[in-house]
Amino acid sequence: VSWHALDPQDVRDRLEREREPEPTAVEQATARLRAAADRAGRVPVLAPVRWSWQLARAVRGELDDPLTPVLAVGSAASAILGSVVDALLVVGALDLNALVGGFQRLRAERALSGLLAEQKQKARVAEEQLGPEAAEFTPEGEPRIVDAAKLHPGHVIELRADDVVPADARLLWEDGLEVDESALTGESLPVDKCVDPAPRAPVAERYCMVFEGTTVVAGRARAVVVDTGDHTEAARAVALAARTPSAAGVQARLQELTRKALPLTLAGGAAVTGLS
């Protein structure tokens, strides 16, 4: 939905019509099973099993390399031709390198998860929700402080200086609001915001919107949440950046060489075995 192209009242009306449906019985049962699985995974007795599984996945990721099948075929050919020691050395070095790399990757992922868990973002939610007075800023009556993960479309949030925007939201009211959007758009200067719609505008020029992860530099505002989680602009940008790029340069040549040489190597190994 092009929320930036709608008036504040139209945004509120549309969100009121598009309330999230109640979860079905299957969805509720699935959520309960996932919660039970998460609780079971945190049982101390199962910690070694969980850690071993994570380490195996990390080692598997380290072995996903174009040189791995070449070295494996070479060691197998050496063993067939009688050089068992050379084959063991190659396999041992390959496995040890993958094990050390997987262990380091696992430690880095755990450290990153710990840092993210300690930085739970908060949000100020206004008491009134999508009412006719939601566009008016009333300083009396402190807003509720909730976890940003619990926000959903329709929540009215308040923003102040130095706040990190907890979700994509459409401005209902603002007073000198300036937002640093460099993390999302690359713009080096703070962006002045306004309530007026901005139809057919790119992300960097949607002045009536605030986006998750950006920082309020000055002013204050009230906005209604329109997108959360994977539907935000920041999540879409991360998804595009995380796409695996096509192989290029030396890696592409190695993959092509492996595809061409592997069948010939296997056929030659089979022929040598048959002759021996």
Side-chain angles (χ1 to χ4, degrees):
V1 178
S2 301
W3 301 108
H4 56 279
L6 302 177
D7 292 320
Q9 187 61 43
D10 294 335
V11 172
R12 294 198 297 268
D13 293 341
R14 183 154 188 167
L15 287 173
E16 188 68 26
R17 293 193 307 267
E18 296 182 358
R19 292 292 187 182
E20 293 185 0
E22 293 294 330
T24 62
V26 176
E27 292 174 346
Q28 293 177 358
T30 303
R32 285 195 294 268
L33 289 175
R34 288 179 179 175
D38 291 340
R39 289 193 298 269
R42 290 192 292 267
V43 175
V45 179
L46 299 178
V49 178
R50 184 175 66 254
W51 187 85
S52 301
W53 171 251
Q54 294 173 349
L55 181 60
R57 291 182 59 186
V59 171
R60 172 65 181 83
E62 292 293 325
L63 290 174
D64 189 11
D65 188 88
L67 286 177
T68 300
V70 176
L71 294 175
V73 172
S75 61
S78 298
I80 292 173
L81 295 176
S83 301
V84 180
V85 177
D86 294 341
L88 291 177
L89 287 176
V90 172
V91 173
L94 186 64
D95 293 342
L96 182 61
N97 178 69
L99 183 62
V100 173
F103 184 73
Q104 292 178 345
R105 176 186 294 190
L106 190 58
R107 287 187 58 185
E109 290 177 354
R110 285 193 169 188
L112 180 59
S113 300
L115 290 175
L116 293 177
E118 293 176 358
Q119 297 177 352
K120 289 186 178 180
Q121 190 176 352
K122 302 294 182 180
R124 299 186 187 92
V125 177
E127 293 297 332
E128 62 270 15
Q129 301 295 329
L130 293 186
E133 70 279 3
E136 300 176 2
F137 185 81
T138 54
E140 56 271 11
E142 287 298 320
R144 294 182 294 111
I145 305 298
V146 301
D147 289 338
K150 296 182 179 179
L151 292 176
H152 59 77
H155 272 145
V156 177
I157 58 175
E158 291 186 5
L159 300 173
R160 302 173 187 174
D162 297 329
D163 284 352
V164 177
V165 180
D168 287 6
R170 173 64 163 87
L171 289 175
L172 301 175
W173 177 93
E174 63 87 21
D175 180 15
L177 185 67
E178 295 183 8
V179 182
D180 179 8
E181 297 182 345
S182 58
L184 180 64
T185 63
E187 181 63 40
S188 59
L189 298 176
V191 179
D192 294 327
K193 294 293 182 177
C194 63
V195 183
D196 298 332
R200 296 182 300 277
V203 175
E205 298 178 3
R206 296 174 185 176
Y207 303 121
C208 59
M209 298 285 297
V210 287
F211 302 104
E212 179 186 8
T214 58
T215 306
V216 178
V217 177
R220 55 181 183 172
R222 177 168 292 183
V224 57
V225 176
V226 295
D227 285 315
T228 59
D230 295 337
H231 301 287
T232 61
E233 292 294 337
R236 282 193 280 268
V238 170
L240 290 175
R243 288 182 177 178
T244 303
S246 57
V250 177
Q251 187 178 9
R253 296 295 297 172
L254 283 175
Q255 291 179 352
E256 182 181 0
L257 179 62
T258 302
R259 286 195 301 269
K260 292 181 178 179
L262 186 59
L264 298 176
T265 305
L266 293 176
V272 171
T273 304
L275 291 175
S276 62

